[in-house]
Structure formats: C-alpha cells, structure tokens
Amino acid sequence: MRQGYTSNSTKTLEHSDSLGVVRFITAGSVDDGKSTLIGRLLYDSKAVLADQLLALSKTRHARVKANDAQVDLALLTDGLEAEREQGITIDVAYRYFATAKRKFIVADAPGHEQYTRNLVTGASQADVAVILVDATRIDLTLEPAGLLAQTKRHASILRLLGLRHVVVAVNKMDLLDFDENVFNKIRTSVELLARTIGLPVPFMIPVSALRGDNVVDLSDATPWYAGPSLLQWLEEVEIVQSTTLQSLRFPVQYVARQDGSAAEDFRGYLGQVESGQIVRGQTVKILPGGQISTVAEIQVANDYGENLTDFGTPQARAGQAVMLRLSEDLDVSRGDMIVSVDASGGQPVLAKSLQADVCWLDTEPLSLSRKYLLQHSTQTVFAKIKDIEQVLDIHTLSQGVGAATIHTNEIGRINLILQKPIAADLYDVSIATGSFVLIDDATKHTVAAGMIRHAYA
C-alpha cells in the first residue's frame, strides 16, 4: 500500500520562496533515536561546521559510527557530559539551521520518563512536533501493534498543549529491511492512538536516522513510500496560528516611574502584547479593577527586546515588547491586564475558580491539603486544589475517576479555587493567557503546568 503525500492535520504549499521560521521539537521514548535524527538533519543539510565534526570524531563518548559521517551524530545535540556518559538526553537542547526555503529552531527533548517535564517546557514553544517511533521496539504480535507507554504519554502531552502539526518518523526501519507491512501496522496503531486522545492524525514517514534514509533525501530503500522526506515535510508544512484570539491582551509586567524630581509624574506600563494590537488613542480597560482609559503613547522595543523607541509609535502588535502611557493616572500594577473595551473580540473571564488539565512535574504527588501558588501570565495568586476529576491511564488511554492524587509525569484534570480573580482565557483560545504553572508555597518548586479548560467568575 503506497502512502501518498496527503495529511489530515496539515496543508502543504506547492510553491513558496520563504515560509519563515519554524520551531519544532522531537518527542518519543528513550532510545528511539531523537538526537541522532536531529544530528542527521544538521549534517545532511550542511549545518555542521568542519571543526564540530572533528571534535566529535575525537570524543571518548561516541557510541555508534554513522556510515558516512564517521561520528556519533547524537552528540551534536547531547552536549552535557552526563548525557554523553549515559547515552541519554537529559535537558532540552536547541539548535538552529536553515535551508533555502525555511529557517528552523529545533528542540531535542529527553525521552526518559524522568525528564518528561523538559518535554513540556520545549513543546510549549513549538509549532511542530516530530514523534519518533522505534520500529524495532514495537510489539507486532498485538492487534493493533503495541506502542511504548512513553510514546503514548508524549503524544497525550502534545495534544494537551494544542500542537496542530504533528509528523511521526518511524525510525530504524533499516533494521527491519524497510518492511512495508511493518510500517503499515505501526501506522495503524499511531492513527488509532491519535483518534483516541484527540490528536490530529499525523503524517508518517519511514526513516533511518543513522543511515539518513528519508530524513533529508528520499531513499531508494523505500520504493513503496510516495511521500516527502522529513525535511521536505518540514519545509512545506503551513503553520496555522495556535490561538484564535484577536482581541487585545496586555499583561502588565512592570510599572516604570520617575524619581520624583521631574515636574511630570511619569507612569509607563511595560510588558508584551500577547494578542491583538494596541493603537494610540484606543480605549482600554484595566482588569481586574475595570478602570477605563485611553492609550496616550506607545514605545516599542527593537527586535532584540531592548532600546525602546521614542514615544510616537502609532501601534504595537502581538509579540512585541512595549511601554504604554495612559491618558489618566490610574492604579495599575504588575499582574493587571490591559484589554480592549470592545467585547466583539472576546473578553477574558475574571475567574475565581478554574477547571484545568495539568501535567504533574514534581517528585512529590499532588496534595489537596498543601498550599499552592498559581502563576498566570504576570499575576501570582494563592490557589487551592478543590478536587481531582480524572487521571489519564497512559497504558489504556482511559480517564480514571476517583483518584486521590496525581503523581510525577501523570496527566489529570483538576478544579481550583483562587484567592483572588485572574483575567483568564481558555487554553484553546489563547495559550498565553490560558495557561499557568503551579508552585508549591513551601518548597517553591514548580509542580505542574496547567491548561485552562473552563473559567468561572
């Protein structure tokens, strides 16, 4: 059965000179070959300098010998000494490379269950996820074929984080003689997993990261595969924005004041425009207080986030760091949010209780009796976990109810009560204002990453 170049989760462009910058992350179980795959992408796309290859060829930590590079390509991303000694990825490593069509920022995330929190960090900033599946570790005697638990966990996290663009690289196909029947069995299992957890059905590519088959160039070893190489897919996938929110969201991060010696009492409000745009003369509302004012002046930071321009910029858009001056002196402080008064674009909820999905990151399990701080955008409030609705069983992909706690790397749905209201959106509407982290008030550890599913006033 030939796989044509189509995908239910993405659209492709036939012609484009430049499609911008794409951030992608690798996911999957430990030893699936994520670091080797990225190393192969870097090497075959000529993004590795000669002195880097020379240094890698002399390292005492090399574990394999690539056929042509004669170096362990995984070491291009596994830079920590502990990673090279143990042969596993521990921290998220970021690398940059470019082709004639696109620029890429790639994050190599750990596959080991112990470091699942690092995947959450990297995936939260990604446009695309590349899930690796080691074809040699799949139980093909089962129907459907049995995927590894960590593959299911990573796929579930990607679904929670709202990644719309997912491709699955079925790796180490060279060790199975590029058997088309094996690939089709794995594809059936992956598609079933995606439908079960609500992940967009991913495009699938048979690859050998070590040899380079179908990574940058198409391989003669897979005549039955009619699709693109992994790099071709990454170059052509059209990135759809992960947020549908068009209304203004400007969380105040810092209030700038003069030293009092000047005649004018200067107040500037600094932060990043998370969605929508700010226009000079625009009428805005400050939450949670509800005061109404007008934008008098705007300063925009340069592309490096520093050296604010002189006042006089007519507008600022999402993603820009700015400083605002309002026409009135109001009680505005860090944690407040400036929004448009126009309700047509959608208003945040002044929420005192939340329903949220969380990835539990701490070694100490969730406790209903402990005090937690909820960090939402630039606002921090005390939060009490009222109850646990359900916890995902990674093995069966069923939602278990009645759980007393959530353990490290587990995914659950909880209800929270907040000490004071926050201006919240749903995660599906806005990632920036629909997400949060929980911090243990006693240890100050970040214990969970949360995605808001419902917000209640």
Side-chain angles (χ1 to χ4, degrees), residues 81-292:
E81 185 74 8
E83 292 178 322
R84 296 187 174 193
E85 287 178 348
Q86 300 178 58
I88 62 172
T89 302
I90 296 174
D91 199 4
V92 180
Y94 294 91
R95 293 293 182 269
Y96 168 88
F97 72 101
T99 68
K101 287 187 175 182
R102 219 166 206 172
K103 299 175 182 178
F104 297 96
I105 299 174
V106 53
D108 181 21
H112 197 284
E113 181 179 351
Q114 178 182 352
Y115 305 111
T116 298
R117 70 192 75 182
N118 294 352
L119 170 79
V120 176
T121 301
S124 65
Q125 304 297 319
D127 304 307
V128 175
V130 180
I131 300 177
L132 265 78
V133 174
D134 183 346
T136 66
R137 301 167 68 194
I138 302 301
D139 189 347
L140 299 174
T141 64
L142 300 177
E143 188 62 41
L147 300 174
L148 298 179
Q150 190 68 342
T151 302
K152 297 177 182 179
R153 178 178 287 106
H154 281 197
S156 299
I157 291 173
L158 296 177
R159 195 273 302 173
L160 287 179
L161 292 174
L163 267 75
R164 302 183 182 185
H165 310 294
V166 180
V167 60
V168 173
V170 182
N171 193 24
K172 305 183 185 179
M173 287 293 295
D174 55 311
L175 300 180
L176 298 172
D177 298 324
F178 294 96
D179 190 324
E180 181 184 4
N181 292 326
V182 171
F183 177 77
N184 287 334
K185 288 181 179 179
I186 296 173
R187 182 173 62 182
T188 299
S189 292
V190 170
E191 291 175 348
L192 177 60
L193 168 64
R195 288 192 294 268
T196 301
I197 65 177
L199 188 73
V201 176
F203 192 81
M204 297 191 61
I205 303 174
V207 305
S208 169
L210 187 63
R211 295 184 3 153
D213 297 270
N214 294 330
V215 178
V216 170
D217 300 311
L218 290 173
S219 172
D220 293 335
T222 54
W224 44 267
Y225 173 70
S229 69
L230 177 62
L231 182 60
Q232 290 170 344
W233 188 93
L234 290 169
E235 285 180 327
E236 297 175 0
V237 61
E238 182 183 9
I239 304 300
V240 179
Q241 293 298 320
S242 57
T243 178
T244 60
L245 186 64
Q246 301 299 321
S247 187
L248 172 63
R249 298 291 186 271
F250 179 74
V252 177
Q253 183 173 0
Y254 182 74
V255 180
R257 297 289 304 275
Q258 286 181 338
D259 60 8
S261 60
E264 183 183 5
D265 185 13
F266 175 86
R267 287 184 177 88
Y269 307 111
L270 287 82
Q272 177 173 294
V273 182
E274 297 293 359
S275 65
Q277 62 178 1
I278 298 176
V279 181
R280 192 169 53 208
Q282 179 180 0
T283 303
V284 295
K285 181 190 295 185
I286 294 87
L287 298 176
Q291 309 99 309
I292 304 295

